[in-house]
Amino acid sequence: MSDSSPLPPVRLTSEAELARDALATPLLSRAARLARWAGPDTRVGAGGELVEEQLAGAADALGLSGDDAAALASEAWRIAVDAGLVEIVDEDEGTVAAGADLALLTSGGPQDVLGVWLVALEAVLADASVPDLDELAGAVEEGGELDLSSLDWDPEAEAEFLDGVLGNLYLLTVSDDGAGPVPLPALAASMIVPDDMGEPSNDVLEQVSDAMMRLDDQFRLLEPVGIVDFQPVDEALMADTDEALMADTDEEPAGPLDETDVSRYGMVQLTPLGLYGLRARLLEAGFSVPAVGDLADKGADALLDGTGAFPPAAARAETEQWLARREPLAAARELLAAARGGDAGAPLRRLRCQQALSLVGMEAEPALRDVLDDAELGGLARVWLSEHGAVDVPPPSEAMIFWLTIDTVAAQLAAEGNSAELQGLVEGLAQQHGGFFAAAWRVDHPATPDVLEAMGRLHPDKKVAKEARKAAFKARSQQGG
């Protein structure tokens, strides 16, 4: 992702709900319970970790049992220390006391709670980029020194890889307006397979498989902090795969995977808390990461320009919040004033204005009637009044109809590019109006040449496309281009 171009806006849950979610996460809730459990007899080692003989007591305090109880208690304690819920009083004696931030979880506001959770998240993300204990143990030399070179592990590259994966997952979520679970192979491939690659080579597929298994381990670590909902890779599936690789067989590969098969390779989805956390990290890294509601207190010009690149659902949600703070008539007048202009972005502003006005009731009628004679706004005003059942709406002139058509296509081009929907609109216009191009090139609109060129590019009929290109040439000549 580029840090210069804004991402689509994210719809965040309220901070109060997010704070409740943060307190309910397994990792932070366990860390808080251990911070309250700790007392004068609690002892830690040189790195702040609980001494081994106290791990059983910590696990009991958390209600944990089984083979993983001590490891889970150790992890929760480490988070309690990292997040400031516990502080080391005397390093030599190994004594501890409640940290200053522990009280924030009960008496602080939502932002205080989320601040503590963000610190815990950073600690978990750092852990997720470290090799597992077995690999670390194997890299310890006889003298007790850690030989990182034997691990084939680059700490900075591992952190960048995980950041990239989470960035892609965030982008998928906000671009699709709340995408559902993402298959782990697809997420791994987004980091490995180049965009311009056709059929991936066996080497690339092997890299994707390795990355997928790495992510499986990492998301297992990240789920307890509440950033994702995660369905791990089916271990039985991996056992079957290993057996197949060990077997010397010439059998043909199985057919395409169905949805059930895909889910067995792991599925991951950001939680509302995860969206909040990743947005905070992206902001810290210098990215432009808007949230729905950011424009609610801005002017109509900022709203129309800002929502120009938003997905439809996000644009509507942002507009609804903007309208909720204003009287309908005043809002309509402000929107119409901001929609004027002959610059390249004006058609899309007018489209967003029309979409915003569709959310306003008949209280706005006087503002629309005021612009009936306006060359740029008269067409959309007639559309709005007709759709709202207003009476005595003057019919548009042919010149106004053609101008509005050019403006609408220019807006669609800016919003969607060469989409299938736009192609259908182009085909419909050429079919409904036999002499469309003969009249369209004369339309006094700055975008006329570009619109006609696009129509020539999009129309599947070669004869019609040629007519459009000729009309575009005439329009450009007329405008002195």
Side-chain angles (χ1 to χ4, degrees):
M1 294 183 301
S2 167
D3 58 6
S4 60
S5 55
L7 294 164
V10 58
R11 285 204 259 184
L12 294 174
T13 306
S14 71
E15 286 190 342
E17 291 179 77
L18 290 170
R20 285 194 291 270
D21 289 346
L23 290 171
T25 59
L27 200 51
L28 186 58
S29 62
R30 288 172 187 163
R33 286 163 67 186
L34 283 188
R36 298 184 185 103
W37 163 81
D41 297 329
T42 304
R43 292 293 179 271
V44 296
E49 75 283 0
L50 271 179
V51 295
E52 189 171 349
E53 53 267 27
Q54 293 194 333
L55 285 175
D60 287 342
L62 295 175
L64 298 172
S65 60
D67 295 340
D68 294 334
L72 292 172
S74 177
E75 180 186 29
W77 178 264
R78 191 170 66 254
I79 294 301
V81 174
D82 289 343
L85 307 181
V86 172
E87 62 181 31
I88 311 300
V89 175
D90 187 322
E91 291 185 5
D92 294 330
E93 294 293 326
T95 54
V96 300
D101 288 344
L102 180 60
L104 295 178
L105 298 184
T106 52
S107 59
Q111 288 189 356
D112 297 320
V113 173
L114 290 170
V116 173
W117 178 81
L118 284 171
V119 175
L121 173 62
E122 288 301 321
V124 177
L125 287 169
D127 288 346
S129 299
V130 176
D132 64 35
L133 291 176
D134 290 338
E135 291 182 56
L136 286 173
V140 175
E141 299 174 327
E142 288 185 10
E145 295 292 324
L146 186 63
D147 180 17
L148 290 179
S149 62
S150 68
L151 287 173
D152 188 26
W153 174 57
D154 181 339
E156 186 174 332
E158 285 294 326
E160 286 181 1
F161 176 82
L162 184 55
D163 282 346
V165 167
L166 293 174
N168 285 352
L169 186 56
Y170 181 93
L171 183 58
L172 282 169
T173 304
V174 297
S175 297
D176 292 345
D177 196 41
V182 178
L184 213 54
L187 199 53
S190 73
M191 295 296 296
I192 304 294
V193 182
D195 291 337
D196 57 355
M197 177 175 279
E199 189 71 22
S201 64
N202 288 337
D203 180 59
V204 168
L205 290 175
E206 186 175 345
Q207 291 179 52
V208 170
S209 179
D210 290 344
M212 183 185 78
M213 297 313 299
R214 207 155 93 225
L215 289 175
D216 182 64
D217 291 337
Q218 291 173 325
F219 282 127
R220 288 173 192 258
L221 290 174
L222 293 175
E223 188 174 33
V225 79
I227 191 174
V228 293
D229 289 324
F230 181 54
Q231 177 182 324
V233 175
D234 187 339
E235 293 183 7
L237 175 69
M238 300 316 299
D240 291 344
T241 302
D242 290 340
E243 288 177 12
L245 290 173
M246 293 178 67
D248 185 11
T249 176
D250 294 326
E251 289 183 15
E252 290 293 319
L257 298 175
D258 61 25
E259 286 188 16
T260 305
D261 290 327
V262 170
S263 69
R264 293 182 69 193
Y265 285 91
M267 305 287 284
V268 64
Q269 181 175 17
L270 284 178
T271 63
L273 190 59
L275 277 170
Y276 169 85
L278 290 189
R279 179 175 184 262
R281 299 186 83 240
L282 289 166
L283 282 170
E284 183 71 21
F287 286 85
S288 176
V289 277
V292 171
D294 284 351
L295 303 176
D297 59 350
K298 304 288 194 303
D301 53 347
L303 176 73
L304 298 183
D305 283 331
T307 56
F310 285 14
R316 181 184 177 99
E318 184 71 56
T319 302
E320 286 173 340
Q321 293 199 26
W322 189 88
L323 289 170
R325 300 192 180 193
R326 292 160 178 81
E327 292 298 324
L329 180 56
R333 288 199 165 114
E334 189 178 348
L335 287 165
L336 289 165
R340 287 191 173 93
D343 57 286
L348 186 52
R349 284 203 305 277
R350 282 186 282 273
L351 176 62
R352 291 295 188 230
C353 173
Q354 190 171 1
Q355 292 167 340
L357 290 171
S358 71
L359 305 175
V360 180
M362 286 300 288
E363 304 97 320
E365 182 179 1
L368 277 299
R369 289 198 178 274
D370 287 346
V371 297
L372 280 172
D373 295 329
D374 188 288
E376 296 176 349
L377 304 176
L380 72 83
R382 284 166 170 78
V383 171
W384 187 94
L385 289 166
S386 298
E387 288 178 346
H388 283 72
V391 297
D392 298 327
V393 180
S397 65
E398 183 175 296
M400 181 175 283
I401 292 173
F402 273 94
W403 194 96
L404 183 59
T405 300
I406 294 293
D407 200 57
T408 301
V409 176
Q412 294 287 355
L413 275 169
E416 304 172 10
N418 300 335
S419 66
E421 182 180 336
L422 183 56
Q423 183 174 338
L425 175 61
V426 167
E427 291 181 40
L429 285 171
Q431 186 176 1
Q432 291 170 20
H433 305 280
F436 179 80
F437 297 112
W441 71 266
R442 295 182 171 87
V443 174
D444 186 18
H445 191 297
T448 299
D450 291 335
V451 165
L452 292 173
E453 277 185 5
M455 293 181 76
R457 187 171 62 249
L458 290 169
H459 204 289
D461 187 294
K462 290 183 179 180
K463 183 180 177 182
V464 176
K466 186 176 180 180
E467 282 185 61
R469 288 193 295 270
K470 282 185 177 180
F473 178 78
K474 290 181 181 179
R476 205 170 295 283
S477 298
Q478 176 177 259
Q479 293 186 5

